[in-house]
Amino acid sequence: MKTISTAKSHDGVQGVYSHASEACAGDMTFAVFVPPQAKHGPCPVVWYLSGLTCTHQNVMDKGEYRRLAAELGLIIVCPDTSPRGENVPDEKDNWQFGCGAGFYLDATQEPFAKNYRMYSYIAEELPALIAREFPADMKRQAIFGHSMGGHGALTIALKHPDRFKSCSAFAPIVHPMVAGWSKPALEKYLGADETSWRAYDAVALIEGGKSFPEFLVDQGKADTFLDDGLRPWLLDDACKAAGIPLTLRMQEGYDHSYFFISTFMNDHLRWHAERLAK
């Protein structure tokens, strides 16, 4: 692991790091905020997964999480959304696919299968590095994210309910198999057989029997992607049918931006901290 930068913030440390990833076959960059409580022992870990076109930088600059994370004693890990580099296959004119749009899955189709393995990266490789390099209590982990990252958080939590004590999301893509801005990406990464897509779709996973103790979702009513890409009511229907408690808060006047995310960031951090303390 290489340190790109560190800065003191709220008596903790905001760092940016890189490492050679086997899962993604190239260098990956991520951000970690370590709170002041880490001086006295390991702290719980909260994973934040970013959305389409984003990197770790977006939430680091606009998410406004550090003050409360320092108060609550939470390590915040912010990975990138996809592999990047000159040799990584991409569609530069398509913001819904390729670099910046890894969809937190393991691609099986060429030429993407070598690099686009964000599920394995987030679920296995990066946690091992965090456990090794940071004062992290890996027995207390939570996960949340925005949009494509909300999709990633929900699916990863559903597949690892023993690992994560809580999961929440801002404006998640809840049913990417049928959403206009994600279905083409799933086909390019995973092939035409839609049965393989179900492993990376929160609604499909719940319908297939996967479960989680509870979810918190915030969604802006003024989000221009609400009807075509997000459709949180589909997650609500699936959770009700499966008996999974879901707190779905439709927020009047809020859009898809980090103005929305930063407004409700503290609510989510407090919600995770309560569950990580149990």
Side-chain angles (χ1 to χ4, degrees):
M1 188 182 76
K2 299 178 182 178
T3 299
I4 296 174
S5 66
T6 57
K8 186 175 182 178
S9 180
H10 298 282
D11 287 327
V13 177
Q14 176 65 69
V16 178
Y17 310 91
S18 69
H19 72 117
S21 166
E22 291 186 11
C24 298
D27 290 344
M28 295 292 289
T29 301
F30 62 97
V32 179
F33 175 73
V34 178
Q37 293 87 337
K39 299 172 185 175
H40 309 293
C43 293
V45 179
V46 181
W47 296 81
Y48 178 88
L49 306 185
S50 291
L52 286 162
T53 75
C54 293
T55 69
H56 64 283
Q57 196 79 36
N58 298 75
V59 68
M60 193 173 74
D61 291 349
K62 303 175 185 177
E64 301 181 19
Y65 58 83
R66 278 176 289 269
R67 184 196 63 77
L68 190 59
E71 178 183 321
L72 297 172
L74 302 174
I75 291 176
I76 310 294
V77 180
C78 307
D80 201 347
T81 52
S82 67
R84 301 176 192 272
E86 292 183 3
N87 298 320
V88 174
D90 190 16
E91 290 186 7
K92 297 184 182 301
D93 296 327
N94 184 358
W95 63 274
Q96 297 172 332
F97 185 77
C99 292
F103 279 93
Y104 302 100
L105 52 75
D106 282 354
T108 58
Q109 301 300 299
E110 298 300 337
F112 310 106
K114 178 181 178 181
N115 301 104
Y116 288 86
R117 301 183 67 246
M118 288 300 295
Y119 172 76
S120 290
Y121 179 68
I122 299 296
E124 304 298 339
E125 185 178 23
L126 190 55
L129 186 148
I130 295 297
R132 185 169 65 246
E133 299 287 348
F134 295 90
D137 182 354
M138 302 303 282
K139 294 181 179 179
R140 292 187 292 162
Q141 296 186 68
I143 191 166
F144 68 147
H146 170 228
S147 193
M148 180 185 72
H151 138 78
L154 292 170
T155 57
I156 292 171
L158 283 164
K159 288 191 276 190
H160 298 279
D162 55 335
R163 182 183 306 179
F164 297 102
K165 292 184 175 294
S166 54
C167 175
S168 70
F170 301 105
I173 307 172
V174 303
H175 201 6
M177 289 179 62
V178 298
W181 66 345
S182 50
K183 184 176 180 179
L186 296 190
E187 183 169 2
K188 291 177 184 178
Y189 286 134
L190 300 172
D193 182 2
E194 295 186 9
T195 58
S196 65
W197 304 4
R198 299 181 67 85
Y200 304 106
D201 184 300
V203 169
L205 284 168
I206 291 169
E207 291 175 346
K210 296 293 186 183
S211 189
F212 200 76
E214 60 180 325
F215 294 117
L216 168 65
V217 172
D218 273 307
Q219 171 65 61
K221 285 188 176 181
D223 192 323
T224 56
F225 303 114
L226 183 57
D227 292 330
D228 182 47
L230 308 174
R231 298 181 290 178
W233 49 86
L234 299 178
L235 179 66
D236 192 34
D237 291 343
C239 285
K240 285 177 180 175
I244 299 173
L246 166 65
T247 301
L248 173 59
R249 307 192 304 183
M250 300 297 295
Q251 304 291 358
E252 192 70 43
Y254 284 93
D255 60 15
H256 201 67
S257 72
Y258 268 88
F259 297 113
F260 158 63
I261 296 168
S262 62
T263 299
F264 300 102
M265 176 64 76
N266 284 358
D267 288 359
H268 284 243
L269 291 178
R270 288 193 179 97
W271 191 81
H272 288 297
E274 288 175 3
R275 286 146 184 81
L276 289 167
K278 295 179 180 179

